[in-house]
Amino acid sequence: MAGVIVHLGACGEDAEAMARDWALLDDAERAQAARYHQPVDRARFVARRGGRRRLLAAHLGVAPEGLRFGEGAYGKPVLLGHELQFSTSHAGDDWVLAVADVPLGCDLARLDPGFAWREVARAFFAAVERKALDALAPEEAPAAFLEVWARKEAMVKALGHGLSFPLDAFIVADGPGAPYQAGVAGWQAAVLWPRPGLCVAITVQGDAAPQCRLVQPGETWTLPLAEPAAPTPARPKRRLMVSPLRLARRSPPAQAARHSA
């Protein structure tokens, strides 16, 4: 059973914190930060990259500024010189870093007020998915949509194929610990809801559902962490129940990024 440590982060407006994060970045990361036109986007990028370095360095017991990163064939970030596996994702000021000893992918998804998720479902979901969502109460369907979406994205990021791997090439089954049912073998999923409206999906390589330990922003932690608790999605009462042999979807909306910065 894979244990995954899930660090949730939040970007702030503290100038001193941004300066500390900036000092950790390498030349390539600073050049990438400079390409952001909006100050808020630049600050978020610096906070995410600085946080990634600090947390991974803490896991490895090394200096954060000494870490080196590369990319897989399709752009998936990799840590050079170490076997530790990680995956990142972000939405607005929120970001997440998932760490494990096995290959994994994570996705953080947020349902903003007014987001036309039903239009996305009509454009990218299979008929059976739309039918299942339509069967849920109005107050339950958005969270169900968000969870399936996040699990799809986490799977694609775990595989590391980027946009070359379509979301309808595999199937997501609903329910805690449910494996991916078709199109991919040997992968398991878990879902966390750090707060209402914010969903984190974790996909790991293995035969059992991952056990995830969520570390909230500002929470003090040291290694080794306590035994991870089983994920308990804080989703509305009814669950999205779809035949595990027919759940499929196509491509993400433009706002979704397969490999987060």
Side-chain angles (χ1 to χ4, degrees), residues 4-9 29 45 47-53 55-56 69 75-78 85-91 94-100 104-109 150 153-154 156-158 200-203 257-261:
V4 183
I5 301 176
V6 183
H7 297 277
L8 187 66
E29 289 170 320
F45 173 84
R48 293 193 302 267
R49 286 302 180 90
R52 184 177 78 173
R53 283 181 171 275
L55 291 169
L56 289 176
F69 297 91
K76 182 179 181 179
V78 295
Q85 304 289 309
F86 76 94
S87 182
T88 65
S89 184
H90 68 272
D94 297 301
W95 57 270
V96 66
L97 169 74
V99 181
L104 79 164
C106 78
D107 188 66
L108 184 152
E153 287 291 310
V156 171
K157 292 171 72 174
V200 176
I202 306 294
T203 294
R258 289 293 173 85
H259 299 303
S260 297

Side-chain angles (χ1 to χ4, degrees), residues 155-175:
M155 181 73 257
V156 171
K157 292 171 72 174
L159 293 172
H161 293 306
L163 294 172
S164 68
F165 198 90
L167 293 181
D168 61 0
F170 60 97
I171 294 169
V172 171
D174 189 61

Side-chain angles (χ1 to χ4, degrees), residues 99-123:
V99 181
D101 293 327
V102 295
L104 79 164
C106 78
D107 188 66
L108 184 152
R110 186 182 67 193
L111 201 60
D112 295 324
F115 176 65
W117 64 268
R118 287 194 182 276
E119 293 183 11
V120 174
R122 283 195 293 269

Side-chain angles (χ1 to χ4, degrees), residues 67-227:
L67 294 176
R68 295 182 300 115
F69 297 91
E71 292 184 350
Y74 297 93
K76 182 179 181 179
V78 295
L79 187 58
L80 302 179
H82 299 279
E83 296 183 358
L84 189 69
Q85 304 289 309
F86 76 94
S87 182
T88 65
S89 184
H90 68 272
D93 284 336
D94 297 301
W95 57 270
V96 66
L97 169 74
V99 181
D101 293 327
V102 295
L104 79 164
C106 78
D107 188 66
L108 184 152
R110 186 182 67 193
L111 201 60
D112 295 324
F115 176 65
W117 64 268
R118 287 194 182 276
E119 293 183 11
V120 174
R122 283 195 293 269
F124 301 107
F125 280 29
V128 64
E129 295 176 279
R130 299 195 300 270
K131 182 178 180 180
L133 288 171
D134 290 341
L136 295 177
E139 67 273 14
E140 297 172 346
F145 163 85
L146 198 64
E147 181 171 320
V148 174
W149 179 268
R151 290 175 65 178
K152 287 275 195 178
E153 287 291 310
M155 181 73 257
V156 171
K157 292 171 72 174
L159 293 172
H161 293 306
L163 294 172
S164 68
F165 198 90
L167 293 181
D168 61 0
F170 60 97
I171 294 169
V172 171
D174 189 61
Y180 292 96
Q181 294 293 322
V184 289
W187 296 89
Q188 303 289 330
V191 173
L192 303 171
W193 291 81
R195 65 174 185 266
L198 190 68
C199 177
V200 176
I202 306 294
T203 294
V204 301
Q205 193 170 45
D207 298 324
Q211 296 296 294
C212 301
R213 167 69 158 85
L214 178 65
V215 180
Q216 294 280 1
E219 180 181 343
T220 300
W221 64 280
T222 57
L223 293 175
L225 289 176
E227 185 70 18

